[in-house]
Amino acid sequence: MKRVLSEQELERRRARQQLEAMGIHPYPYRWEVTAHASEILASFDDARHQPRENGPAPEPYEVSIAGRIMTRRIMGKAAFFDLQDETGRIQVYVRRQDLPEGFYDQVFKKLLDIGDIVGVKGYVFRTRMGEITVHAQRLELLAKALRPLPVVKEQDGKVYNVVTDKEFRYRQRYVDLIINPEVREVFRKRARMITTIRRFLDERGYLEVETPVLQPVYGGASARPFITHHNALDMQLYLRIADELYLKRLIVGGYEGVYEIGKDFRNEGLSRFHNPEFTMLELYVAYKDYYWMMDFVEELLEHVAIEVTGSPEVQWGAHTISFRRPWPRIPMFEAIKERTGYDLYGKSRDELAAIARKLGLEIDDTMGSGKIIDEIFGEFVEPHLIQPTFIIDYPIELSPLAKRHREKPGLVERFEVIVGGKELCNAFSELNDPDDQRARFEEQARLRAAGDEEAMQIDEDFLRALEYGMPPTAGLGIGIDRLAMILTNQPSIRDVILFPLLRPEQPAVPASADGADQAEASES
RNA sequence: GACCCCGUAGCUCAGCUGGUAGAGCACCUGACUUUUAAUCAGGGGGUCGCAGGUUCGAAUCCUGCCGGGGUCACCA
């Protein structure tokens, strides 16, 4: 089945055929670019470049630019169009008399459209209306657009006919990027954010590494994995849910600081805070503990906020979020007590369940004490923590890879950073006692046997590594997408991931040569 | 997975107490040599998400399905 082409698509295919008939290649090979829109606008100097009466001859400002035609204003023998390149838009002035015989009337006016990519050579001047403009002396088609571009016009900062359909924007992100400059800016900021983090870590001597995405045993977090298969070895493999266990092997190996920025995959639901594949930073530093890591994260995130937004104070929706150091450090049980009035420390599983029920939560018999505490925290505390806040000292049941607290029995040395009511970072003093780690894994195995699909698998090779001795180590994970949401003021994770996961559209239908045939048929 | 909202031209939308579709931009034809949401005159373009049902008649009412958004649940 062939896709039925719209009137405008037929028109553009007809134009393409006519161009070819005239000997104009609709998809040529190369164009020399010497300037971009924003630099031209910034560097044009009226005193030097603009001709004036009785003045000295202006110094020619010649440029060769390339980009997409975004708007056109055609008059009889001359026309203006806006050309958009990566840096922005600049106006181009075209006159019939400046171009080869017939080009203006037959090619530019009839066969070029909004959305086509062109190259322009010419000189820069300022029009009577005061707009810096490239006067074209040469104009070439560089790529014919066969689909019409949704046109966005603007005047006095008011924008008309903006594409607001989220589905359209996510599925055809390439179009979203063409027509929405603020979307281009979001992903520039995201890149700047990651570059800043990387530089910060590199400057401190930490080694950037790459560990396996395909893993025979998955671990490092509680989540359901994606499962795949390797044919040659005929074995089941998992897409990683975390980098943690491999990075700690590298600490065993003698590197004293390692980090990885990469994708993790979790087979869970989608929401404005969750995408099945997402980007995580994990960092492990030898001879440090979680107190040191709290200082480190504060410094890192304050620095990143300033580099990306220009200020440690960041606007996110209705909130102004301040990454300025220091941030409050609140033990989990204190935070819960403050919000609910209940002190959960030392309470038995059944006491916890009773309290949770009194608070209106649904508790079933399969939930352990750690799970119940987590429920209470997630319901009554987390959503209220808008400013960056360290929540510290978690129940041991929730943290099978964290070291026991040096003073508080039943707890581990772990912190999360909550920002905007959501977890942004997770860190601990890493468990390096191999026997304790084995016991924790075995507890996870019991949970798994009892039906907890998110419980961890026992990783024998990781235990073997620990048995060779891992130094005291502090570890950290940061959700890069969530950080990007806050630093770019976006409400949904889909707005900071270029191609978020969506259900597939109807079967993709090709627009084949049939379209061109239709175009011919419609002419006769 | 549950609930709520949405799906009409390439884009933004109107039409929805039932009488088989409209506007602006975009597109096509013509006019116009400094325009800028260019302007002026004329014109074409739609399986109204899909499939059933009710009805003489459905974009409109009902049911189911598909896709998207949001909230909840799980999770980072």
Side-chain angles (χ1 to χ4, degrees):
Chain A
M1 191 181 94
K2 298 281 158 48
R3 187 168 60 84
V4 177
L5 297 177
S6 69
E7 182 196 26
Q8 294 193 43
E9 288 176 292
L10 292 171
E11 181 57 39
R12 282 165 183 254
R13 283 171 187 275
R14 191 182 59 82
R16 177 219 167 121
Q17 286 184 327
Q18 289 193 5
L19 286 162
E20 285 175 310
M22 295 169 77
I24 297 173
H25 196 318
Y27 302 100
Y29 294 86
R30 188 162 163 157
W31 179 260
E32 189 74 19
V33 175
T34 66
H36 284 90
S38 66
E39 356 169 319
I40 294 171
L41 297 177
S43 63
F44 181 80
D45 180 351
D46 288 281
R48 280 171 62 202
H49 304 123
Q50 185 69 352
R52 65 190 69 213
E53 276 183 57
N54 304 323
E59 185 181 326
Y61 184 0
E62 307 215 333
V63 294
S64 179
I65 56 179
R68 207 178 278 277
I69 299 174
M70 297 303 287
T71 65
R72 304 206 298 167
R73 294 173 288 283
I74 295 179
M75 295 157 296
K77 300 185 177 104
F80 292 91
F81 66 88
D82 290 339
L83 178 140
Q84 174 172 293
D85 64 21
E86 191 185 332
T87 68
R89 290 188 186 188
I90 188 161
Q91 180 168 262
V92 176
Y93 178 52
V94 186
R95 284 194 309 191
R96 178 195 278 163
Q97 68 200 58
D98 299 326
L99 297 174
E101 181 69 31
F103 190 92
Y104 178 83
D105 288 308
Q106 286 160 45
V107 178
F108 175 73
K109 279 168 73 169
K110 302 269 186 197
L111 303 178
L112 297 189
D113 293 289
I114 287 173
D116 288 352
I117 296 167
V118 297
V120 172
K121 273 188 186 161
Y123 62 88
V124 188
F125 74 112
R126 191 184 287 277
T127 65
R128 272 182 221 158
M129 300 299 286
E131 180 151 351
I132 295 166
T133 300
V134 176
H135 186 133
Q137 293 168 306
R138 203 174 139 204
L139 174 64
E140 259 183 51
L141 175 64
L142 300 180
K144 182 70 192 163
L146 297 180
R147 287 184 188 246
L149 197 62
V151 179
V152 178
K153 299 204 168 188
E154 54 176 271
Q155 188 188 30
D156 305 328
K158 232 190 190 171
V159 184
Y160 299 81
N161 299 337
V162 200
V163 177
T164 49
D165 181 7
K166 293 255 174 112
E167 182 177 1
F168 185 109
R169 293 183 41 219
Y170 296 149
R171 286 198 196 282
Q172 301 187 47
R173 180 69 88 184
Y174 32 89
V175 177
D176 190 26
L177 289 165
I178 293 168
I179 63 187
N180 290 319
E182 67 281 3
V183 174
R184 291 199 294 275
E185 187 55 25
V186 164
F187 290 101
R188 281 202 196 94
K189 279 188 176 171
R190 181 183 167 122
R192 199 180 315 147
M193 181 185 100
I194 292 171
T195 303
T196 303
I197 292 170
R198 186 170 270 130
R199 190 174 305 138
F200 190 93
L201 298 174
D202 289 344
E203 278 168 1
R204 280 154 185 77
Y206 305 140
L207 185 71
E208 181 170 12
V209 296
E210 292 176 276
T211 63
V213 171
L214 294 173
Q215 304 180 346
V217 176
Y218 64 92
S222 299
R224 292 160 69 184
F226 286 91
I227 302 171
T228 187
H229 183 264
H230 186 264
N231 290 339
L233 295 179
D234 188 23
M235 68 185 293
Q236 179 164 284
L237 288 169
Y238 304 95
L239 273 63
R240 70 180 172 200
I241 60 172
D243 307 357
E244 174 152 358
L245 302 185
Y246 281 96
L247 291 172
K248 286 199 248 187
R249 283 170 170 92
L250 296 175
I251 297 293
V252 171
Y255 295 117
E256 296 183 10
V258 292
Y259 74 93
E260 179 163 15
I261 298 171
K263 289 275 183 77
D264 289 345
F265 306 84
R266 298 187 186 175
N267 210 335
E268 312 277 358
L270 292 80
S271 81
R272 78 193 178 92
F273 293 100
H274 299 91
N275 196 60
E277 64 178 283
F278 62 102
T279 303
M280 185 86 131
L281 161 70
E282 290 197 31
L283 167 72
Y284 295 84
V285 182
Y287 309 113
K288 309 293 189 192
D289 61 9
Y290 80 141
Y291 293 112
W292 178 89
M293 191 60 93
M294 283 189 249
D295 295 337
F296 184 87
V297 172
E298 279 177 335
E299 192 185 343
L300 171 65
L301 291 187
E302 184 189 75
H303 173 69
V304 171
I306 292 169
E307 287 293 310
V308 172
T309 71
S311 162
E313 266 90 45
V314 178
Q315 197 65 33
W316 190 59
H319 302 291
T320 302
I321 291 174
S322 174
F323 285 96
R324 202 184 293 278
R325 291 179 284 170
W327 313 333
R329 301 180 181 190
I330 309 171
M332 188 185 209
F333 287 109
E334 276 182 29
I336 291 172
K337 191 177 169 190
E338 205 173 293
R339 286 277 167 189
T340 67
Y342 290 102
D343 187 352
L344 306 186
Y345 187 59
K347 292 280 191 295
S348 72
R349 189 263 164 207
D350 289 342
E351 289 170 318
L352 291 169
I355 290 170
R357 290 204 177 91
K358 253 186 256 178
L359 288 167
L361 298 180
E362 285 185 25
I363 301 299
D364 63 60
D365 293 341
T366 68
M367 296 166 79
S369 51
K371 178 83 176 156
I372 296 170
I373 292 165
D374 197 37
E375 285 289 312
I376 295 172
F377 179 79
E379 185 67 26
F380 296 99
V381 183
E382 195 177 43
H384 301 286
L385 300 175
I386 302 302
Q387 298 303 320
T389 306
F390 290 105
I391 296 297
I392 67 174
D393 302 343
Y394 282 66
I396 192 166
E397 301 90 338
L398 289 174
S399 317
L401 302 169
K403 208 166 188 169
R404 287 171 195 275
H405 198 284
R406 62 195 78 181
E407 288 156 10
K408 303 174 185 171
L411 303 186
V412 292
E413 295 196 354
R414 171 179 176 185
F415 71 80
E416 291 192 357
V417 177
I418 314 291
V419 182
K422 281 282 168 184
E423 176 187 346
L424 182 66
C425 310
N426 184 20
F428 6 102
S429 300
E430 300 294 337
L431 176 56
N432 61 343
D433 175 340
D435 292 339
D436 192 1
Q437 182 67 77
R438 179 175 292 280
R440 307 272 197 100
F441 274 148
E442 281 167 358
E443 173 58 22
Q444 289 289 308
R446 272 191 289 280
L447 291 172
R448 169 168 287 271
D452 183 349
E453 289 184 77
E454 293 179 350
M456 290 181 191
Q457 299 181 315
I458 297 180
D459 188 331
E460 285 293 344
D461 178 69
F462 175 65
L463 289 170
R464 177 167 65 186
L466 289 188
E467 286 168 7
Y468 281 100
M470 183 172 86
T473 298
L476 167 74
I478 299 181
I480 292 294
D481 309 283
R482 287 185 179 178
L483 183 59
M485 283 170 67
I486 291 164
L487 296 185
T488 61
N489 192 17
Q490 296 299 314
S492 170
I493 199 166
R494 295 188 188 99
D495 295 318
V496 298
I497 292 175
L498 281 165
F499 300 101
L501 185 67
L502 300 177
R503 274 204 180 80
E505 329 177 55
Q506 320 78 343
V509 180
S512 74
D514 264 21
D517 294 343
Q518 268 179 276
E520 273 187 352
S522 71
E523 277 179 325
S524 52

